[in-house]
Amino acid sequence: MGCNCGGSARRIIVHESHRPDGTVKRFLTEAEARRDALQHAGHYAQITQVAK
């Protein structure tokens, strides 16, 4: 039986709103992050993370 170690990393997408005061808020959906960025004159970023 083969091992179940390595090679099965999952990609996780995190949606962030970067505010002008330096605050970074993370959201589960792109729509929420974009709405927050628009309300606070910030910008939106999509971050891909790898979970092992």
Side-chain angles (χ1 to χ4, degrees), residues 29-44:
T29 67
E30 179 180 350
E32 289 175 314
R34 287 190 182 275
R35 184 173 29 251
D36 185 76
L38 186 63
Q39 288 175 349
H40 297 282
H43 70 275
Y44 163 79

Side-chain angles (χ1 to χ4, degrees), residues 8-41:
S8 62
R10 294 184 329 167
R11 286 183 31 190
I12 298 172
I13 297 175
V14 178
H15 304 280
E16 294 182 342
S17 172
H18 296 254
R19 296 179 180 178
D21 65 358
T23 303
V24 177
K25 294 282 193 172
R26 291 186 172 182
F27 297 90
L28 295 176
T29 67
E30 179 180 350
E32 289 175 314
R34 287 190 182 275
R35 184 173 29 251
D36 185 76
L38 186 63
Q39 288 175 349
H40 297 282

Side-chain angles (χ1 to χ4, degrees), residues 2-6 8:
C3 77
N4 193 18
C5 52
S8 62

